[in-house]
Amino acid sequence: MLKVIGLDKSYNRQKQSLKSVSFTAKPGEVTAIIGPSGAGKTTILRSVNQLIRDDAGQILLDDTDIRQAKPAELRQIRHHIGMIFQNYNLIGPLTALENVLHGRLGAKSTLAGILGLYSTAEKNEALELLKAVGLGDFALQRCDQLSGGQQQRVGIARALMQHPKMILCDEPIASLDPKSTKLVMDILRELAQSKQLIILINLHQLEIAQTYADHIVGINQGTIVYEGPQRALTPEKLQAIYRQAPTKEVSAHA
Amino acid sequence: MPNQLTPQHFFRRRRIQLTVILLILIGIYWLSMALVNFQTMTALTQVPAGLIWLFKNFIPTERSLSYLSAISFQLWRTLLIAIASTICAGLFSLFFAILGAKPTAPAPYWHLVIRLGASLVRIIPVVAWSMILLFSFKQSDFTGFLALFFMTLGYLTRAFTETIEDLDPDKLSALRAVGATYTQCVFCGVLPEVATTLTSWLLYMIENNLRDATLVGILTGTGIGFLFNYYFKSFRYDAAGLIVLLIAILVITLELTSTKIRKAIA
Ligand SMILES: Nc1ncnc2c1ncn2[C@@H]1O[C@H](COP(=O)(O)OP(=O)(O)OP(=O)(O)O)[C@@H](O)[C@H]1O
Ligand SMILES: [Mg+2]
């Protein structure tokens, strides 16, 4: 169970990007964070695994506060949190297999990691994961020669290689066509259910969130304006989530 | 305000700007030529005569072939020094670039320190490096090696830093998110991403250093540069011409090879 309590973050003094954000995400469920551009979705997700340092609050994953972890502990915690991105962020010149094996880096000594000393069991597992996401034939292909949808599936396999408790997804389908979108979202939903993972996912596309998410967190200008089950999301609530600050909109056009 | 500008207006203004710039450039040219007492027409008429003299004296003859073994030996040594200095400087540059590039700098001030250091090294031209190093290391191959080393270090540190900074920092975030250590991020993420670009830079610098090694050799009295200077001063122009010819052949061969390598690894 992931519990975020009273999270604050400001990148600079003028503006607070997160204002006392609290929400919960349960294992076995897909939790979607929705909201307009600039609302703070990416900021929340990157705070959860401390890629950015927030200002105050608590982030409890199974009752340990990630924010209080020392560097070595943080590394261990990150090892069990997968992350996938809009632009995949694979190492392009390396093969799909090598990229999946990177999922083991958090569990390896620095030296074993940089020398690429992976056990046969690890290599077999990576290969199995690639097969599971339908890329068995592409294992030894350079990643920058794969299509977007294929790269995203390599990203998922890398996350799974971490034996994660939770997978964070920052707009994983924003650059994909409808077919790849369905493929990726089906995989994620299936994973949540079969492995009892926490899937926390930022989404721009409301229909996708409504189709796939069990739990919805709506955010507007750094403040949570809705949290609840997907089916309880009414048009009024949606309006509150996607409401634009009128003055800002006008000044942006001038 | 900008929407009042019609295309006709815009292009007329652009033409006037270009004419003015051209006139200014011509003016600067005439002014500087007047200052050094250089007359364009007389200079141009002297060019053919100069070229003819060059061709008459510098064309290698059969007699020059007797110098071939001495020349090839020095050419070989010069090539080795160019390669060795580039590769050594390349290793150091990579180290400094990782410390100095924004996405990989251990702390922000490293970026400034290394950028500044690389600029300082680069400010001093290779000729000046040779002269400075001559004092401490005397006339030896090592002096030439060091001069090329420092110049290359300055250039490659800058080039490598910029290559690393062109990387999408999110790719490194992805590795940090996996739980990778700093060193693992560098070796598993940064290096594979930049390897081909860095190799291109190395090959380019080797070509460049072969040319510069000749110049450095003249100054430090070593290698092919020394031999050229020696033949030249003892009026054996045909042998000096042979050296120029062989250097040209070597440089071209090197360029063709490195183009091939670059294509192969891209
Ligand atoms: N590195 C940064 N430096 C300064 N301000 C930032 C930085 N990153 C984000 N912000 C600001 O924080 C706010 C939230 O940004 P964030 O990226 O979390 O939004 P988002 O909901 O992910 O938007 P999008 O849907 O466009 O990805 C925005 O107002 C943005 O301008
Ligand atoms: Mg975002």
Side-chain angles (χ1 to χ4, degrees):
Chain A
M1 174 106 97
L2 173 75
K3 256 195 207 143
V4 174
I5 304 164
L7 198 65
D8 285 335
K9 167 72 184 176
S10 26
Y11 288 98
N12 45 44
R13 259 184 238 119
Q14 293 94 29
K15 198 173 142 246
Q16 203 174 347
S17 294
L18 295 184
K19 294 168 205 153
S20 192
V21 163
S22 305
F23 67 92
T24 323
K26 292 197 198 75
E29 285 190 356
V30 173
T31 303
I33 305 179
I34 59 172
S37 181
K41 303 184 292 293
T42 299
T43 309
I44 293 180
L45 220 62
R46 294 192 168 213
S47 299
V48 169
N49 63 359
Q50 294 288 289
L51 282 181
I52 51 181
R53 286 282 167 180
D54 44 63
D55 305 332
Q58 279 179 302
I59 300 168
L60 303 172
L61 179 60
D62 296 341
D63 297 321
T64 30
D65 193 347
I66 299 177
R67 296 182 72 259
Q68 307 294 335
K70 295 186 187 63
E73 294 164 357
L74 181 60
R75 191 177 174 226
Q76 277 321 299
I77 294 170
R78 279 178 177 165
H79 174 53
H80 291 294
I81 303 178
M83 190 167 202
I84 62 181
F85 302 80
Q86 176 180 347
N87 44 359
Y88 329 123
N89 289 332
L90 305 172
I91 306 302
L94 298 183
T95 61
L97 189 64
E98 286 168 296
N99 271 287
V100 175
L101 284 168
H102 281 168
R104 296 295 302 160
L105 285 177
K108 285 204 169 305
S109 75
T110 295
L111 194 65
I114 67 180
L115 294 179
L117 303 178
Y118 299 103
S119 70
T120 315
E122 285 170 330
K123 285 175 199 156
N124 286 339
E125 187 187 352
L127 212 53
E128 286 307 314
L129 286 173
L130 278 173
K131 277 185 196 150
V133 294
L135 292 175
D137 294 339
F138 296 89
L140 296 181
Q141 185 112 203
R142 277 174 69 131
C143 279
D144 50 14
Q145 290 170 353
L146 298 177
S147 76
Q150 291 169 334
Q151 290 194 46
Q152 195 56 289
R153 281 181 279 155
V154 175
I156 294 176
R158 171 169 72 183
L160 290 178
M161 196 70 201
Q162 297 174 242
H163 302 159
K165 290 179 189 162
M166 169 162 75
I167 300 183
L168 307 170
C169 318
D170 195 0
E171 312 207 359
I173 51 167
S175 324
L176 301 183
D177 61 88
K179 197 158 157 268
S180 304
T181 296
K182 185 168 172 350
L183 197 56
V184 165
M185 290 307 300
D186 283 343
I187 292 175
L188 289 175
R189 177 164 62 185
E190 202 276 324
L191 279 172
Q193 289 162 0
S194 66
K195 301 201 173 185
Q196 287 296 301
L197 301 186
I198 304 168
I199 303 270
L200 186 60
I201 177 166
N202 283 350
L203 284 173
H204 253 138
Q205 302 90 325
L206 182 61
E207 326 78 68
I208 301 289
Q210 284 173 322
T211 316
Y212 286 94
D214 306 295
H215 192 70
I216 300 260
V217 176
I219 182 169
N220 186 304
Q221 293 185 57
T223 312
I224 300 288
V225 290
Y226 175 82
E227 187 191 358
Q230 188 279 126
R231 46 198 147 59
L233 198 59
T234 58
E236 297 79 56
K237 302 252 167 69
L238 273 176
Q239 209 157 27
I241 295 172
Y242 287 102
R243 187 190 57 223
Q244 297 283 353
T247 47
K248 255 202 183 149
E249 199 56 3
V250 171
S251 62
H253 278 290
Chain B
M1 183 189 70
N3 42 13
Q4 289 166 356
L5 197 66
T6 64
Q8 287 96 321
H9 263 100
F10 172 77
F11 283 110
R12 191 186 308 152
R13 218 163 66 183
R14 175 55 62 82
R15 257 199 312 279
I16 294 174
Q17 278 171 351
L18 284 177
T19 319
V20 170
I21 291 172
L22 204 63
L23 285 177
I24 291 176
L25 284 179
I26 294 175
I28 292 175
Y29 173 77
W30 278 112
L31 200 66
S32 33
M33 285 307 145
L35 284 175
V36 296
N37 284 324
F38 185 92
Q39 262 135 11
T40 314
M41 275 346 262
T42 35
L44 280 180
T45 53
Q46 280 168 359
V47 168
L51 283 180
I52 289 169
W53 185 89
L54 260 181
F55 268 101
K56 269 199 190 133
N57 289 282
F58 272 82
I59 292 290
T61 59
E62 262 169 56
R63 188 178 69 106
S64 356
L65 289 183
S66 58
Y67 300 111
L68 201 57
S69 75
I71 294 176
S72 355
F73 175 66
Q74 291 297 349
L75 205 56
W76 173 241
R77 269 170 50 137
T78 308
L79 178 65
L80 287 187
I81 287 180
I83 292 177
S85 60
T86 312
I87 288 177
C88 274
L91 286 177
F92 279 89
S93 299
L94 182 57
F95 180 70
F96 287 135
I98 287 169
L99 290 181
K102 269 184 193 150
T104 49
Y109 62 87
W110 281 101
H111 174 70
L112 279 176
V113 171
I114 288 186
R115 235 195 137 84
L116 199 71
S119 299
L120 284 179
V121 176
R122 251 192 349 261
I123 283 171
I124 307 177
V126 68
V127 175
W129 271 119
S130 314
M131 305 297 236
I132 297 167
L133 293 166
L134 255 183
F135 285 113
S136 339
F137 298 98
K138 306 289 178 289
Q139 285 203 350
S140 69
D141 280 337
F142 189 59
T143 312
F145 171 87
L146 277 185
L148 291 174
F149 173 84
F150 279 117
M151 191 215 44
T152 313
L153 185 69
Y155 272 98
L156 285 186
T157 302
R158 166 96 190 266
F160 287 5
T161 306
E162 282 178 4
T163 308
I164 295 177
E165 283 176 356
D166 277 346
L167 248 181
D168 183 357
D170 258 10
K171 295 197 175 212
L172 302 184
S173 302
L175 285 186
R176 279 205 298 140
V178 158
T181 61
Y182 171 79
T183 322
Q184 286 174 340
C185 284
V186 168
F187 278 83
C188 300
V190 178
L191 293 188
E193 284 281 352
V194 298
T196 49
T197 318
L198 298 202
T199 316
S200 276
W201 273 110
L202 272 185
L203 291 169
Y204 168 75
M205 266 337 255
I206 289 178
E207 290 166 28
N208 199 62
N209 277 355
L210 179 66
R211 277 179 290 250
D212 281 352
T214 315
L215 181 65
V216 168
I218 296 180
L219 296 165
T220 59
T222 53
I224 197 71
F226 167 73
L227 208 58
F228 176 83
N229 205 22
Y230 171 69
Y231 290 150
F232 186 79
K233 288 201 168 137
S234 50
F235 305 107
R236 279 173 274 182
Y237 295 133
D238 56 327
L242 183 63
I243 291 182
V244 174
L245 187 69
L246 289 177
I247 290 177
I249 291 175
L250 190 60
V251 168
I252 291 170
T253 319
L254 212 57
E255 275 187 21
L256 292 178
T257 324
S258 66
T259 312
K260 271 224 181 86
I261 298 179
R262 256 174 248 170
K263 278 217 183 94
I265 59 176

